Amino acid sequence: MSGSDVGGYAVLTDAMAAELESRLHGRIIRPDDPDYDEARSVYNRMIDRRPALIARPAGTADVVACVAFALGHDLQVSVRGGGHSVAGRAVCDDGLVIDLSDMNAVHVDPVHRVARAQGGATFAALDHETCAFGLAAVGGVVSTTGIAGLTLGGGIGWLQSKYGLTCDNVLLAEVVTADARVVKASATENEDLFWGLRGGGGNFGIVTWFEYRLHPIPDQILAGPLLYDGDKASELLRWYGDWTKAEPDEITSFMVFLNAPAWPILPERLHGKPMVGLAVAYCGSLKDAERAYQPIRQAAEAELDLIEPVPYTKLQTMSDYDWRPGRLNYWKPSFLQPMSEGLADTIVENVGCFVPPDLGDESADVIPAQPTNCFEIGYMGGATRRVGENDTAYSRRDADYLINVTSVWEKPEESERMIAWAQKFSKALRPFEVGGGYVNYFSSDEGDERVRATYGPEKYARLAALKQKYDPTNFFRLNPNVKPSDG
């Protein structure tokens, strides 16, 4: 490693790498190390960046040392938790990756219902410890997701309707700031930073420890998907819009539009055909769950009903295969207003996977989807809406739905087609937006305008002032970035 400057940043030399290594109890990974390629890879295979050095801190003191080192040598820095961000901002070219994956300890206090977890832990690790006591933190929907990125961006998951977002259940955060200080943020200490960390993304520092409020969960949760013929798409969307208005807090639901996988459990006649899935989870007794699901089963005849009692740890892994790493991903999220005739019609017209591939061509108005094209819509009701809009940095509490248009594919030569499908679909949804999208789902091409639209002018100004206080040089910039403001 040698050189002078790249893109305004200094370039790491071998001597500098040796200097950092001498400061750490953890390890560093160099480009010529055998595990370098694995260490630089992230969830989205579209991301192919080559950092000059990857540091794996053993604890908070190592994180402080990494930040101080980067400041002293004017290095570009990225921060990696679980590496699940579709934008791939966990890695940078030529600079230093601060990889928290070795900082994954979890401690549970079952008496006070609090979990303390390091910033590199995944939800699989957190769930494993908390569920041993019949408790759970509010997590996501994929167990391999890192707790830090999901929490800082908001945190959408199976318990959200009952207990709110992940960020709503944070009690305290230990943070290494952009000037290499360690501070704590809570409702009684550095309250402004605590506000910004809950939805403001990784703009304000590296969280080395979180404390979460835990909640009791039943031994078994009645959950799973129902799959319907794609011909019922319009009917089901309109029904979903009505049903979710009365959906009890115990139910969290997501509707998914996809081409049917070739599962042995599915009739062969459905393989590869457009389908609608409704995934639900009920956080309560099995008896109450069965009663609550009756309107679903009466709404339309499902081709397949896979709802069953499962422990929460299994529920958290049910989507792991569908959202496995190593494929190419492009996502376009939007927060939307209540379901209307116009919105339902727009979804059905643009969803793409309802155009059979053998009937389409490259010039078609609606691009025929590959089997991995997907569109999901989740209801953002219950406890998520009972937190005040200005109580946390997370925005758009007034949105009824979060929609994510996702393209996931295997072959690089399909990239242009798959990205175009998602962009066209997303553009068609813009008239129905309440503003912006969920920052944790942003792809790398979502710019400043989209970030501002997500937070709105007043909240963005508050975040910019907070950024000026804690990170005036925009040291932490590889994120849905809020620019520092001196106003």
Side-chain angles (χ1 to χ4, degrees):
M1 291 178 284
S2 62
S4 53
D5 293 322
V6 172
Y9 290 98
V11 175
L12 270 162
T13 65
D14 292 332
M16 291 161 62
E19 176 192 345
L20 178 60
E21 189 170 34
S22 71
R23 298 186 189 185
L24 302 183
H25 280 196
R27 62 172 297 212
I28 64 171
I29 301 173
R30 296 173 169 85
D32 56 356
D33 286 340
D35 53 349
Y36 172 78
D37 282 336
E38 180 181 357
R40 71 182 180 89
S41 66
V42 290
Y43 168 81
N44 184 1
R45 192 159 56 88
M46 283 186 70
I47 309 303
D48 185 23
R49 301 187 183 122
R50 302 189 66 85
L53 201 66
I54 300 169
R56 285 192 172 161
T60 300
D62 278 1
V63 176
V64 171
C66 287
V67 171
F69 175 81
L71 287 168
H73 292 287
D74 191 26
L75 296 173
Q76 168 83 300
V77 162
S78 63
V79 183
R80 178 184 178 127
H84 259 254
S85 166
V86 69
R89 296 185 176 101
V91 289
C92 58
D93 279 322
D94 302 311
L96 172 66
V97 174
I98 303 175
D99 181 351
L100 304 183
S101 56
D102 287 345
M103 295 174 56
N104 51 29
V106 176
H107 305 295
V108 178
D109 178 349
V111 175
H112 297 96
R113 292 181 177 175
V114 172
R116 192 164 188 260
Q118 284 184 300
T122 64
F123 277 99
L126 185 58
D127 296 337
H128 177 72
E129 296 296 332
T130 61
C131 288
F133 300 96
L135 302 169
V138 177
V141 296
V142 177
S143 72
T144 55
T145 303
I147 65 170
L150 185 133
T151 301
L152 295 174
I156 290 167
W158 288 116
L159 300 179
Q160 68 183 40
S161 293
K162 179 74 170 176
Y163 297 123
L165 303 174
T166 309
C167 70
D168 300 334
N169 290 275
V170 174
L171 300 172
L172 181 145
E174 178 187 271
V175 187
V176 177
T177 59
D179 56 358
R181 292 182 301 125
V182 180
V183 301
K184 290 185 178 180
S186 70
T188 59
E189 189 175 3
N190 295 308
E191 298 95 327
D192 57 348
L193 178 59
F194 186 57
W195 175 86
L197 292 172
R198 292 175 294 156
N203 275 286
F204 309 107
I206 302 174
V207 179
T208 50
W209 285 93
F210 289 93
E211 286 188 6
Y212 293 102
R213 180 186 300 110
L214 301 180
H215 301 278
I217 54 170
D219 293 337
Q220 299 281 306
I221 293 176
L222 197 63
L226 299 102
L227 293 177
Y228 303 88
D229 191 295
D231 290 342
K232 294 185 170 71
S234 182
E235 169 192 348
L236 286 166
L237 271 171
R238 288 163 173 78
W239 167 83
Y240 189 64
D242 291 334
W243 174 69
T244 49
K245 294 175 185 176
E247 183 181 283
D249 285 0
E250 287 77 10
I251 296 180
T252 296
S253 65
F254 301 93
M255 185 170 279
V256 183
F257 299 74
L258 72 166
N259 286 328
W263 292 342
I265 198 170
L266 272 177
E268 190 172 344
R269 61 183 174 81
L270 297 175
H271 291 182
K273 292 190 175 181
M275 299 201 76
V276 179
L278 177 63
V280 292
Y282 187 97
C283 186
S285 74
L286 296 179
K287 182 178 179 181
D288 289 343
E290 287 286 5
R291 188 182 305 114
Y293 287 160
Q294 285 179 6
I296 300 175
R297 291 184 165 120
Q298 293 168 358
E301 183 178 355
E303 296 286 345
L304 195 64
D305 184 339
L306 296 177
I307 294 176
E308 62 178 345
V310 294
Y312 180 68
T313 49
K314 182 176 180 180
L315 172 62
Q316 284 288 78
T317 65
M318 285 173 64
S319 299
D320 284 7
Y321 181 78
D322 293 331
W323 299 107
R324 62 193 181 275
R327 298 181 296 171
L328 297 107
N329 283 256
Y330 184 83
W331 300 358
K332 298 290 285 187
S334 301
F335 285 118
L336 298 185
Q337 59 191 235
M339 188 64 64
S340 63
E341 290 288 323
L343 175 55
D345 289 343
T346 299
I347 291 171
V348 173
E349 289 168 6
N350 288 274
V351 75
C353 60
F354 293 97
V355 178
D358 59 342
L359 299 182
D361 59 61
E362 294 283 341
S363 61
D365 287 339
V366 178
I367 298 175
Q370 304 299 319
T372 45
N373 268 17
C374 180
F375 169 81
E376 60 183 14
I377 174 170
Y379 181 59
M380 302 300 293
T384 64
R385 302 188 76 164
R386 288 194 286 273
V387 176
E389 174 64 30
N390 293 316
D391 290 350
T392 66
Y394 177 86
S395 292
R396 305 304 174 187
R397 299 271 182 180
D398 58 336
D400 279 63
Y401 300 100
L402 170 62
I403 282 181
N404 195 22
V405 181
T406 65
S407 283
V408 185
W409 65 103
E410 300 281 353
K411 300 176 181 178
E413 59 267 27
E414 294 176 347
S415 296
E416 183 176 352
R417 178 185 182 91
M418 300 296 278
I419 292 171
W421 175 82
Q423 290 176 336
K424 183 178 186 298
F425 195 167
S426 177
K427 184 177 180 180
L429 293 171
R430 290 294 170 88
F432 304 97
E433 281 190 356
V434 298
Y438 180 43
V439 296
N440 281 351
Y441 289 170
F442 278 4
S443 288
S444 58
D445 59 353
E446 300 283 13
D448 181 64
E449 180 181 346
R450 193 71 169 154
V451 175
R452 288 175 179 270
T454 295
Y455 292 111
E458 292 184 8
K459 186 171 282 190
Y460 186 89
R462 184 176 175 183
L463 286 165
L466 191 66
K467 182 77 169 179
Q468 178 67 30
K469 177 179 178 179
Y470 286 97
D471 185 11
T473 66
N474 206 10
F475 178 78
F476 297 112
R477 67 185 63 186
L478 293 181
N479 44 50
N481 195 233
V482 174
K483 306 294 190 297
S485 169
D486 54 11

